mmCIF file of all heavy atoms in Angstrom:
data_model
loop_
_atom_site.group_PDB
_atom_site.id
_atom_site.type_symbol
_atom_site.label_atom_id
_atom_site.label_comp_id
_atom_site.label_asym_id
_atom_site.label_seq_id
_atom_site.Cartn_x
_atom_site.Cartn_y
_atom_site.Cartn_z
ATOM 1 N N ILE G 1 20.599 8.755 -9.702
ATOM 2 C CA ILE G 1 21.817 8.309 -10.388
ATOM 3 C C ILE G 1 23.022 8.874 -9.648
ATOM 4 O O ILE G 1 23.136 10.085 -9.464
ATOM 5 C CB ILE G 1 21.827 8.775 -11.859
ATOM 6 C CG1 ILE G 1 20.549 8.303 -12.573
ATOM 7 C CG2 ILE G 1 23.059 8.252 -12.577
ATOM 8 C CD1 ILE G 1 20.396 8.847 -13.989
ATOM 9 N N ASP G 2 23.901 7.985 -9.224
ATOM 10 C CA ASP G 2 25.092 8.380 -8.471
ATOM 11 C C ASP G 2 26.327 7.952 -9.264
ATOM 12 O O ASP G 2 26.665 6.763 -9.326
ATOM 13 C CB ASP G 2 25.093 7.724 -7.092
ATOM 14 C CG ASP G 2 26.177 8.282 -6.175
ATOM 15 O OD1 ASP G 2 27.165 8.825 -6.706
ATOM 16 O OD2 ASP G 2 26.040 8.168 -4.945
ATOM 17 N N TYR G 3 26.981 8.912 -9.879
ATOM 18 C CA TYR G 3 28.132 8.607 -10.727
ATOM 19 C C TYR G 3 29.385 8.304 -9.913
ATOM 20 O O TYR G 3 30.374 7.824 -10.466
ATOM 21 C CB TYR G 3 28.384 9.766 -11.691
ATOM 22 C CG TYR G 3 27.285 9.930 -12.718
ATOM 23 C CD1 TYR G 3 26.156 10.699 -12.442
ATOM 24 C CD2 TYR G 3 27.363 9.306 -13.963
ATOM 25 C CE1 TYR G 3 25.138 10.848 -13.377
ATOM 26 C CE2 TYR G 3 26.357 9.444 -14.902
ATOM 27 C CZ TYR G 3 25.242 10.217 -14.601
ATOM 28 O OH TYR G 3 24.237 10.354 -15.527
ATOM 29 N N LEU G 4 29.339 8.570 -8.600
ATOM 30 C CA LEU G 4 30.477 8.255 -7.746
ATOM 31 C C LEU G 4 30.482 6.780 -7.359
ATOM 32 O O LEU G 4 31.518 6.115 -7.390
ATOM 33 C CB LEU G 4 30.479 9.132 -6.493
ATOM 34 C CG LEU G 4 31.734 9.073 -5.630
ATOM 35 C CD1 LEU G 4 32.967 9.522 -6.421
ATOM 36 C CD2 LEU G 4 31.570 9.939 -4.389
ATOM 37 N N THR G 5 29.306 6.257 -7.017
ATOM 38 C CA THR G 5 29.201 4.828 -6.700
ATOM 39 C C THR G 5 29.026 3.994 -7.963
ATOM 40 O O THR G 5 29.221 2.783 -7.949
ATOM 41 C CB THR G 5 28.012 4.568 -5.758
ATOM 42 O OG1 THR G 5 26.787 4.938 -6.414
ATOM 43 C CG2 THR G 5 28.154 5.362 -4.470
ATOM 44 N N GLY G 6 28.610 4.674 -9.068
ATOM 45 C CA GLY G 6 28.392 3.963 -10.322
ATOM 46 C C GLY G 6 27.055 3.252 -10.383
ATOM 47 O O GLY G 6 26.906 2.273 -11.127
ATOM 48 N N ASP G 7 26.070 3.748 -9.614
ATOM 49 C CA ASP G 7 24.768 3.087 -9.533
ATOM 50 C C ASP G 7 23.633 3.980 -10.014
ATOM 51 O O ASP G 7 23.641 5.201 -9.782
ATOM 52 C CB ASP G 7 24.456 2.685 -8.088
ATOM 53 C CG ASP G 7 25.424 1.643 -7.555
ATOM 54 O OD1 ASP G 7 25.836 0.775 -8.344
ATOM 55 O OD2 ASP G 7 25.771 1.716 -6.362
ATOM 56 N N LYS G 8 22.649 3.357 -10.672
ATOM 57 C CA LYS G 8 21.387 4.028 -10.991
ATOM 58 C C LYS G 8 20.270 3.248 -10.313
ATOM 59 O O LYS G 8 20.090 2.055 -10.562
ATOM 60 C CB LYS G 8 21.154 4.083 -12.502
ATOM 61 C CG LYS G 8 19.809 4.720 -12.865
ATOM 62 C CD LYS G 8 19.685 5.018 -14.356
ATOM 63 C CE LYS G 8 19.221 3.814 -15.113
ATOM 64 N NZ LYS G 8 18.847 4.146 -16.522
ATOM 65 N N LEU G 9 19.547 3.940 -9.424
ATOM 66 C CA LEU G 9 18.431 3.319 -8.715
ATOM 67 C C LEU G 9 17.144 3.767 -9.383
ATOM 68 O O LEU G 9 16.779 4.945 -9.348
ATOM 69 C CB LEU G 9 18.435 3.730 -7.240
ATOM 70 C CG LEU G 9 17.504 2.962 -6.311
ATOM 71 C CD1 LEU G 9 17.879 1.486 -6.257
ATOM 72 C CD2 LEU G 9 17.537 3.579 -4.910
ATOM 73 N N SER G 10 16.447 2.840 -10.027
ATOM 74 C CA SER G 10 15.236 3.155 -10.775
ATOM 75 C C SER G 10 14.130 2.186 -10.398
ATOM 76 O O SER G 10 14.259 0.976 -10.581
ATOM 77 C CB SER G 10 15.531 3.068 -12.283
ATOM 78 O OG SER G 10 14.381 3.362 -13.035
ATOM 79 N N SER G 11 13.029 2.753 -9.832
ATOM 80 C CA SER G 11 11.881 1.928 -9.410
ATOM 81 C C SER G 11 12.312 0.778 -8.517
ATOM 82 O O SER G 11 11.855 -0.358 -8.666
ATOM 83 C CB SER G 11 11.119 1.391 -10.638
ATOM 84 O OG SER G 11 10.706 2.448 -11.457
ATOM 85 N N GLY G 12 13.230 1.059 -7.619
ATOM 86 C CA GLY G 12 13.685 0.061 -6.660
ATOM 87 C C GLY G 12 14.738 -0.898 -7.188
ATOM 88 O O GLY G 12 15.257 -1.728 -6.449
ATOM 89 N N LYS G 13 15.068 -0.793 -8.487
ATOM 90 C CA LYS G 13 16.074 -1.680 -9.078
ATOM 91 C C LYS G 13 17.384 -0.929 -9.286
ATOM 92 O O LYS G 13 17.396 0.212 -9.733
ATOM 93 C CB LYS G 13 15.575 -2.216 -10.424
ATOM 94 C CG LYS G 13 14.348 -3.116 -10.309
ATOM 95 C CD LYS G 13 13.914 -3.602 -11.680
ATOM 96 C CE LYS G 13 12.672 -4.486 -11.585
ATOM 97 N NZ LYS G 13 12.198 -4.919 -12.936
ATOM 98 N N LYS G 14 18.480 -1.599 -8.960
ATOM 99 C CA LYS G 14 19.801 -0.982 -9.092
ATOM 100 C C LYS G 14 20.492 -1.459 -10.362
ATOM 101 O O LYS G 14 20.537 -2.651 -10.649
ATOM 102 C CB LYS G 14 20.656 -1.318 -7.872
ATOM 103 C CG LYS G 14 21.979 -0.563 -7.822
ATOM 104 C CD LYS G 14 22.787 -0.924 -6.586
ATOM 105 C CE LYS G 14 22.262 -0.236 -5.346
ATOM 106 N NZ LYS G 14 23.186 -0.391 -4.196
ATOM 107 N N GLU G 15 20.996 -0.503 -11.130
ATOM 108 C CA GLU G 15 21.745 -0.815 -12.347
ATOM 109 C C GLU G 15 23.135 -0.196 -12.261
ATOM 110 O O GLU G 15 23.321 0.855 -11.646
ATOM 111 C CB GLU G 15 21.046 -0.236 -13.586
ATOM 112 C CG GLU G 15 19.665 -0.785 -13.878
ATOM 113 C CD GLU G 15 19.048 -0.077 -15.074
ATOM 114 O OE1 GLU G 15 19.788 0.270 -16.020
ATOM 115 O OE2 GLU G 15 17.827 0.154 -15.061
ATOM 116 N N ALA G 16 24.101 -0.842 -12.922
ATOM 117 C CA ALA G 16 25.456 -0.290 -12.975
ATOM 118 C C ALA G 16 25.565 0.702 -14.129
ATOM 119 O O ALA G 16 24.985 0.493 -15.196
ATOM 120 C CB ALA G 16 26.466 -1.412 -13.142
ATOM 121 N N LEU G 17 26.287 1.794 -13.909
ATOM 122 C CA LEU G 17 26.471 2.808 -14.940
ATOM 123 C C LEU G 17 27.724 2.519 -15.764
ATOM 124 O O LEU G 17 28.718 2.036 -15.233
ATOM 125 C CB LEU G 17 26.624 4.195 -14.300
ATOM 126 C CG LEU G 17 25.432 4.735 -13.504
ATOM 127 C CD1 LEU G 17 25.846 6.018 -12.794
ATOM 128 C CD2 LEU G 17 24.248 5.005 -14.423
ATOM 129 N N ALA G 18 27.656 2.841 -17.049
ATOM 130 C CA ALA G 18 28.809 2.652 -17.933
ATOM 131 C C ALA G 18 29.592 3.960 -18.056
ATOM 132 O O ALA G 18 29.857 4.452 -19.151
ATOM 133 C CB ALA G 18 28.340 2.174 -19.299
ATOM 134 N N PHE G 19 29.945 4.546 -16.918
ATOM 135 C CA PHE G 19 30.687 5.794 -16.884
ATOM 136 C C PHE G 19 31.848 5.664 -15.907
ATOM 137 O O PHE G 19 31.748 4.931 -14.924
ATOM 138 C CB PHE G 19 29.796 6.957 -16.404
ATOM 139 C CG PHE G 19 28.778 7.438 -17.397
ATOM 140 C CD1 PHE G 19 27.504 6.883 -17.433
ATOM 141 C CD2 PHE G 19 29.082 8.463 -18.283
ATOM 142 C CE1 PHE G 19 26.560 7.326 -18.340
ATOM 143 C CE2 PHE G 19 28.147 8.926 -19.182
ATOM 144 C CZ PHE G 19 26.881 8.357 -19.224
ATOM 145 N N PRO G 20 32.918 6.407 -16.129
ATOM 146 C CA PRO G 20 33.954 6.492 -15.088
ATOM 147 C C PRO G 20 33.359 7.132 -13.833
ATOM 148 O O PRO G 20 32.367 7.863 -13.904
ATOM 149 C CB PRO G 20 35.015 7.424 -15.715
ATOM 150 C CG PRO G 20 34.747 7.399 -17.181
ATOM 151 C CD PRO G 20 33.283 7.185 -17.331
ATOM 152 N N LYS G 21 33.959 6.851 -12.684
ATOM 153 C CA LYS G 21 33.448 7.401 -11.424
ATOM 154 C C LYS G 21 33.634 8.928 -11.394
ATOM 155 O O LYS G 21 34.677 9.447 -11.785
ATOM 156 C CB LYS G 21 34.180 6.775 -10.233
ATOM 157 C CG LYS G 21 34.008 5.255 -10.118
ATOM 158 C CD LYS G 21 32.597 4.864 -9.740
ATOM 159 C CE LYS G 21 32.403 3.348 -9.710
ATOM 160 N NZ LYS G 21 33.131 2.687 -8.621
ATOM 161 N N SER G 22 32.601 9.620 -10.922
ATOM 162 C CA SER G 22 32.660 11.078 -10.831
ATOM 163 C C SER G 22 31.686 11.539 -9.756
ATOM 164 O O SER G 22 30.612 10.940 -9.566
ATOM 165 C CB SER G 22 32.281 11.707 -12.178
ATOM 166 O OG SER G 22 32.407 13.116 -12.136
ATOM 167 N N ASN G 23 32.026 12.598 -9.052
ATOM 168 C CA ASN G 23 31.219 13.061 -7.928
ATOM 169 C C ASN G 23 30.017 13.879 -8.419
ATOM 170 O O ASN G 23 29.969 15.102 -8.292
ATOM 171 C CB ASN G 23 32.074 13.886 -6.969
ATOM 172 C CG ASN G 23 31.364 14.131 -5.642
ATOM 173 O OD1 ASN G 23 30.311 13.553 -5.354
ATOM 174 N ND2 ASN G 23 31.939 14.990 -4.822
ATOM 175 N N VAL G 24 29.048 13.174 -9.004
ATOM 176 C CA VAL G 24 27.833 13.799 -9.551
ATOM 177 C C VAL G 24 26.623 13.000 -9.099
ATOM 178 O O VAL G 24 26.636 11.764 -9.112
ATOM 179 C CB VAL G 24 27.854 13.841 -11.095
ATOM 180 C CG1 VAL G 24 26.645 14.602 -11.634
ATOM 181 C CG2 VAL G 24 29.139 14.447 -11.614
ATOM 182 N N LEU G 25 25.580 13.715 -8.710
ATOM 183 C CA LEU G 25 24.291 13.102 -8.357
ATOM 184 C C LEU G 25 23.217 13.633 -9.282
ATOM 185 O O LEU G 25 23.231 14.823 -9.636
ATOM 186 C CB LEU G 25 23.898 13.468 -6.923
ATOM 187 C CG LEU G 25 24.441 12.636 -5.774
ATOM 188 C CD1 LEU G 25 24.059 13.308 -4.452
ATOM 189 C CD2 LEU G 25 23.866 11.222 -5.810
ATOM 190 N N GLN G 26 22.273 12.768 -9.661
ATOM 191 C CA GLN G 26 21.126 13.227 -10.437
ATOM 192 C C GLN G 26 19.839 12.637 -9.880
ATOM 193 O O GLN G 26 19.780 11.460 -9.511
ATOM 194 C CB GLN G 26 21.261 12.817 -11.909
ATOM 195 C CG GLN G 26 22.309 13.621 -12.665
ATOM 196 C CD GLN G 26 22.347 13.279 -14.140
ATOM 197 O OE1 GLN G 26 22.226 12.121 -14.536
ATOM 198 N NE2 GLN G 26 22.546 14.285 -14.990
ATOM 199 N N TYR G 27 18.816 13.496 -9.825
ATOM 200 C CA TYR G 27 17.465 13.074 -9.467
ATOM 201 C C TYR G 27 16.570 13.316 -10.682
ATOM 202 O O TYR G 27 16.561 14.412 -11.240
ATOM 203 C CB TYR G 27 16.915 13.878 -8.291
ATOM 204 C CG TYR G 27 17.787 13.921 -7.058
ATOM 205 C CD1 TYR G 27 18.011 15.129 -6.394
ATOM 206 C CD2 TYR G 27 18.383 12.773 -6.546
ATOM 207 C CE1 TYR G 27 18.794 15.193 -5.253
ATOM 208 C CE2 TYR G 27 19.174 12.820 -5.410
ATOM 209 C CZ TYR G 27 19.387 14.032 -4.766
ATOM 210 O OH TYR G 27 20.167 14.093 -3.646
ATOM 211 N N ILE G 28 15.820 12.303 -11.084
ATOM 212 C CA ILE G 28 14.910 12.434 -12.224
ATOM 213 C C ILE G 28 13.504 12.076 -11.761
ATOM 214 O O ILE G 28 13.296 11.054 -11.100
ATOM 215 C CB ILE G 28 15.347 11.530 -13.383
ATOM 216 C CG1 ILE G 28 16.746 11.966 -13.859
ATOM 217 C CG2 ILE G 28 14.353 11.597 -14.543
ATOM 218 C CD1 ILE G 28 17.405 11.041 -14.827
ATOM 219 N N THR G 29 12.535 12.932 -12.099
ATOM 220 C CA THR G 29 11.153 12.731 -11.652
ATOM 221 C C THR G 29 10.287 12.192 -12.784
ATOM 222 O O THR G 29 10.711 12.138 -13.941
ATOM 223 C CB THR G 29 10.551 14.051 -11.135
ATOM 224 O OG1 THR G 29 10.309 14.911 -12.253
ATOM 225 C CG2 THR G 29 11.469 14.738 -10.140
ATOM 226 N N ASP G 30 9.066 11.815 -12.437
ATOM 227 C CA ASP G 30 8.185 11.212 -13.435
ATOM 228 C C ASP G 30 7.645 12.210 -14.461
ATOM 229 O O ASP G 30 7.035 11.822 -15.448
ATOM 230 C CB ASP G 30 7.029 10.439 -12.771
ATOM 231 C CG ASP G 30 6.145 11.321 -11.907
ATOM 232 O OD1 ASP G 30 6.367 12.542 -11.881
ATOM 233 O OD2 ASP G 30 5.241 10.783 -11.250
ATOM 234 N N ASP G 31 7.880 13.519 -14.259
ATOM 235 C CA ASP G 31 7.467 14.492 -15.282
ATOM 236 C C ASP G 31 8.681 15.028 -16.059
ATOM 237 O O ASP G 31 8.629 16.094 -16.656
ATOM 238 C CB ASP G 31 6.666 15.639 -14.669
ATOM 239 C CG ASP G 31 7.496 16.534 -13.748
ATOM 240 O OD1 ASP G 31 8.674 16.188 -13.484
ATOM 241 O OD2 ASP G 31 6.985 17.568 -13.297
ATOM 242 N N LYS G 32 9.782 14.244 -16.034
ATOM 243 C CA LYS G 32 11.003 14.520 -16.797
ATOM 244 C C LYS G 32 11.815 15.703 -16.254
ATOM 245 O O LYS G 32 12.691 16.223 -16.941
ATOM 246 C CB LYS G 32 10.700 14.713 -18.285
ATOM 247 C CG LYS G 32 10.169 13.457 -18.960
ATOM 248 C CD LYS G 32 10.157 13.610 -20.464
ATOM 249 C CE LYS G 32 9.731 12.296 -21.127
ATOM 250 N NZ LYS G 32 9.705 12.397 -22.598
#
């Protein structure tokens, strides 16, 4: 999840985030 570009990449699919732009990155794994 990249809050700067406004994109969430999940299982190869890109979704738009409903957040204002911000310089934050998140990595989420399959074990939460």
Side-chain angles (χ1 to χ4, degrees):
I1 305 174
D2 190 337
Y3 293 87
L4 190 60
T5 63
D7 296 324
K8 177 169 85 169
L9 191 62
S10 180
S11 303
K13 295 180 181 177
K14 188 180 283 190
E15 297 177 36
L17 297 172
F19 287 90
K21 299 291 176 68
S22 183
N23 193 9
V24 185
L25 275 173
Q26 287 185 320
Y27 307 134
I28 298 170
T29 72
D30 61 4
D31 67 353
K32 295 192 175 180

